[in-house]
Amino acid sequence: MVFSVSERTFNQEVLASPVPVLVYFEAPWCALCRVIHPLLLQFQAQCGDEIKLAGVNADQNFKLSNTYRLKSLPTLLLIEKGIVKQRLEGFCGRDDLRQALEAIQFTYNITNKTDTGIKTAELEYNNV
């Protein structure tokens, strides 16, 4: 499920989130936004609680649109600990987006596995 955020809730729901958030800037008139919406839902289902998906209506949240300097819709921002880690914009269709989402998921999964492996190794070393 995509939860909606606004200028009022953005700091709390996105910037202060303990997990990465994929922010989906869209507008009701944007045809490509409607086309990619099912892919985003599928991505979120695959990621579970590891990455949140937040939707922002760019027309109703003009300050956010300006803050993140949107050039086109849809625009996706992967924000982790308040920092934009990736920006996806200008994709041509579903396949383009699918590849970008798979890259995010791959990168995120590799990072988690590496972090967990390092922590486990450190714990085992310290307990020896």
Side-chain angles (χ1 to χ4, degrees):
M1 179 179 122
V2 178
F3 70 95
S4 295
V5 295
S6 65
E7 292 165 355
R8 187 173 46 84
T9 61
F10 193 82
N11 285 344
Q12 178 184 350
E13 295 292 336
V14 176
L15 299 180
S17 174
V19 297
V21 181
L22 185 61
V23 181
Y24 169 47
F25 285 92
E26 52 85 28
W29 50 263
C30 173
L32 186 54
C33 296
R34 289 189 302 273
V35 168
I36 68 166
H37 190 81
L39 282 177
L40 293 172
L41 293 176
Q42 182 181 15
F43 171 77
Q44 185 187 25
Q46 291 171 346
C47 292
D49 294 336
E50 295 176 1
I51 297 177
K52 293 193 307 187
L53 182 60
V56 177
N57 183 319
D59 290 342
Q60 294 176 350
N61 296 282
F62 193 67
K63 287 181 184 177
L64 286 174
S65 298
N66 279 336
T67 298
Y68 291 100
R69 296 188 171 126
L70 300 186
K71 297 176 187 171
S72 63
L73 292 178
T75 294
L76 301 165
L77 303 176
L78 180 64
I79 299 177
E80 186 174 3
K81 297 179 184 171
I83 299 169
V84 177
K85 296 290 186 172
Q86 285 192 349
R87 182 181 188 101
L88 306 172
E89 61 186 349
F91 38 85
C92 300
R94 295 174 70 117
D95 291 335
D96 206 14
L97 175 63
R98 182 179 291 118
Q99 289 175 351
L101 292 175
E102 287 172 359
I104 288 173
Q105 191 174 7
F106 179 75
T107 300
Y108 185 76
N109 287 337
I110 293 299
T111 301
N112 275 346
K113 289 177 184 173
T114 302
D115 288 348
T116 304
I118 291 170
K119 289 177 186 171
T120 302
E122 288 174 352
L123 288 173
E124 288 173 1
Y125 177 77
N126 290 331
N127 289 330
V128 173

